[in-house]
Amino acid sequence: MQNFDVLIIGSGLAGQSAALRLAKHCRVALVSKRSLEDSASGWAQGGIAAVLDSRDSIEAHIQDTLIAGAWLNDEPATRFVVENGRHSIEWLIEQGVPFTKDDAGYHLTREGGHSARRVIHVADATGLAVQDTLTKKVRATPNITVLESHIAIDLITGEKLGTGENRCFGAYVLDSRNGEVITIGAPNTLIATGGAGKVYLYTTNPDTSTGDGIAMAYRAGCRVSNMEFIQFHPTCLYHPQAKSFLISEAVRGEGGLLRLPDGTRFMLEHDERAELAPRDIVARAIDFEMKKRGLDCVFLDISHKGEDFIRNHFPNIHARCLELGIDIASEPIPVVPAAHYTCGGIVSDLKGRTDVAGLYVAGEASCTGLHGANRLASNSLLECLVFSEAAVNDILASKTKALPTLPHWDESRVTDADEEVVISHNWDELRRFMWDYVGIVRTTKRLKRAKHRIGLLMREIDEFYANFRVSHDLIELRNLVATADLIVRCAMQRKESRGLHFSRDYPEMLGKAKNTVLRRRLPKH
């Protein structure tokens, strides 16, 4: 058993920024499924939205967020995040993040749904630059124990220990390199595991985005909310050799136009804001045009802006497309929508606290109320920063709880798996039917089909989990299926179309916005 003051599960922006803030005061374990560099935060291209220009205002940023979120947002949470925007950016600048500058200071770009230029960025690879800067610091900080190639299996709670206390005491963690399960005890645990994009066949997310934290917290008794709101990014590169390569929102923000194969623009037929409409509207419009015309993709054209502009603003996108034989300075980019962001998640308050004492959440795994029914572009990294700091402040202000003796992981009744193919087959089946039945446009019939298939998979996986030694792939599959179940159950509860959830059976939006909330029934003691 290893003991720490704080256990952080997940090593993206929320996890790393929390670790750096905590390390001055206590001993931290930072668990990373792969390497520290491998996270969804590192894949973020566009930037971070914050009110940094005197011509912009807090109220305008809040209003844009509420409009994009289809009025399901929690207003106090939205205000809390937006008001802390400048402070969060200043902290990143202090850490050494090299944000792109112009004559006026820092260059601010504009993205869909924003009424002003307020997205600070590092060219078109903001997440990578932020992650690189923080990772170097994390690796050099003595009080942070980095556990790479480790994956959390489950949280250790009072329920698991038989005490009935609604508290988290750490987690069981698998060392993927040798198959050993270690027990990590900590009076405070922060979930920063990101979203669940890999539940879908096409996603812009890295392979690590398997809903682990959401599934673990739900099993531990936390409420999970609004999981039906999966944001599909409208423009993922359509190319057989390009795995999950995102074409940034900023391409449309800087004048990129969406066209059909014959060059005709189509967005004005769907929304008066055309290419600058919020993501849910643009993704649905592309999905509609593709299905109506039997297209494999549509095209995003920025070539009219000229090669110098494109190389200057989008160097990484330009270079990657060139590698694949597409010169975006002279031809349009083939694009399709892909699962991009999980707007729902573990319910938390303004201090990052969940329903279980000693358990916190920050970043995409959380449901703070900021995003509502659809995330406004570039609000995600901001949420990571604001809520990881809020959780850190609460952890440091709270009294340290003495840890009980935690039992070791019990492998006495299991054997090595005889058929690993079961895992890969189930993984593939899940992602395909989630894409077909629980995608951009939904029906009650499709959702019922998905729920039935998930039920069959869950039983098969539970049996596998009970009888065989855990593996990295089995843990991820178990969490993916649990997360898919939450998405479908939330979607079936919502009898309307709002934001990212569009139902053919309930095409209208109800007058009152309500959250969908799920909670596991805890056993009675």
Side-chain angles (χ1 to χ4, degrees), residues 352-367:
R353 296 180 298 201
T354 70
D355 295 323
V356 175
L359 182 64
Y360 296 80
V361 63
E364 194 176 349
S366 69
C367 185

Side-chain angles (χ1 to χ4, degrees), residues 183-202:
T183 307
I184 300 180
N188 295 290
T189 299
L190 173 66
I191 290 176
T193 50
K198 292 298 284 188
V199 83
Y200 286 99
L201 187 59
Y202 301 110

